[in-house]
C-alpha cells in the first residue's frame, strides 16, 4: 500500500516518517517512535488510557490518525521527564493500583492544570471525567491533582 510521509514533533523532537495512511497516532507513537509509555486500553475512544497532548490539548491517541496531527507538537508521558510535579504528586499519593490507565490519567491531569491551575473539586472531577480506572483509584487521583496544583502554585510563587 502507499505510504505517506508525516512530520510530527514528539516530545520536542521533530520526527519524519513514512507511515500507512490510516495509522493511528497511538500506534505511531508506540511502534514507530518507541514511546511505549502511551498505552491502548479500549481502542474505541472510551477509556482515555491512550491520552496524549496535541498542541497542548489532551487527546485520545487511539482515534486520531497520525496524519491528522501532521505539523503539530505531540507530548507523551515520556515528555514529562519523570520529575514533573504531577508525576511527583502521583507517587506521593500512591495513586496507581494496577497502573495501566495511569499514563492517561496523568496526561489528562497535566492538561487540566495547564488550563486551570487552581481547580475546584468540581473542576477536578469534571476535568478528569471519562478517564476510566477499573481499580477505582479516583479518590487518590483527585488528591494527587490537588497536591500537584499546590506544588505548581508554590513553584510559580518561587
Ligand atoms: Fe484510547 Fe481507550 S485506548 S480511549
Amino acid at each position: 500500500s502507499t505510504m505517506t510521509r508525516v512530520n510530527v514533533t514528539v516530545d520536542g523532537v521533530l520526527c519524519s516518517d513514512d507511515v500507512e495512511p490510516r495509522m493511528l497516532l497511538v500506534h505511531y507513537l508506540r511502534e514507530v517512535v518507541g514511546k511505549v509509555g502511551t498505552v491502548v486500553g479500549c481502542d474505541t475512544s472510551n477509556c482515555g488510557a491512550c491520552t496524549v497532548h496535541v498542541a497542548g490539548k489532551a487527546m485520545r491517541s487511539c482515534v486520531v490518525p497520525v496524519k491528522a496531527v501532521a505539523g503539530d507538537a505531540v507530548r507523551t508521558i515520556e515528555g514529562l521527564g519523570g520529575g514533573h510535579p504531577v508525576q511527583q504528586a502521583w507517587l506521593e499519593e500512591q495513586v496507581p493500583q494496577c497502573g495501566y490507565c495511569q499514563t492517561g490519567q496523568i496526561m489528562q491531569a497535566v492538561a487540566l492544570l495547564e488550563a486551570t491551575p487552581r481547580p475546584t473539586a468540581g473542576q477536578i472531577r469534571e476535568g478528569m471525567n471519562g478517564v476510566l480506572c477499573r481499580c477505582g483509584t479516583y479518590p487518590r487521583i483527585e488528591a494527587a491533582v490537588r497536591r500537584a496544583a499546590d506544588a505548581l502554585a508554590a513553584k510559580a510563587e518561587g
Side-chain angles (χ1 to χ4, degrees):
S1 64
T2 323
M3 301 289 265
T4 183
R5 170 64 57 107
V6 289
N7 299 300
V8 188
T9 302
V10 182
D11 296 332
V13 176
L14 179 63
C15 302
S16 189
D17 294 289
D18 293 322
V19 300
E20 296 284 342
R22 274 190 294 233
M23 181 174 239
L24 295 169
L25 178 57
V26 67
H27 296 132
Y28 174 74
L29 291 172
R30 289 180 57 85
E31 293 154 28
V32 179
V33 189
K35 301 281 183 175
V36 294
T38 302
V39 298
V40 173
C42 67
D43 220 359
T44 55
S45 178
N46 288 310
C47 77
C50 63
T51 299
V52 298
H53 297 177
V54 176
K57 292 227 165 68
M59 200 173 269
R60 297 187 169 193
S61 62
C62 75
V63 285
V64 182
V66 61
K67 242 172 56 175
V69 304
D72 281 332
V74 175
R75 182 159 53 156
T76 74
I77 189 91
E78 280 94 339
L80 298 187
H84 191 284
V86 172
Q87 291 174 305
Q88 290 301 316
W90 243 249
L91 287 175
E92 281 154 15
E93 295 292 338
Q94 302 188 358
V95 174
Q97 191 163 319
C98 90
Y100 195 80
C101 69
Q102 299 297 334
T103 290
Q105 304 287 359
I106 288 170
M107 295 311 286
Q108 186 77 19
V110 170
L112 165 64
L113 290 172
E114 285 175 355
T116 312
R118 299 301 271 162
T120 63
Q123 286 171 321
I124 293 174
R125 238 162 278 144
E126 191 180 317
M128 298 302 296
N129 186 31
V131 187
L132 305 182
C133 175
R134 299 184 89 171
C135 307
T137 60
Y138 302 114
R140 297 201 296 277
I141 286 170
E142 279 184 44
V145 173
R146 249 193 317 273
R147 181 189 280 269
D150 291 345
L152 285 161
K155 213 168 133 182
E157 284 156 19

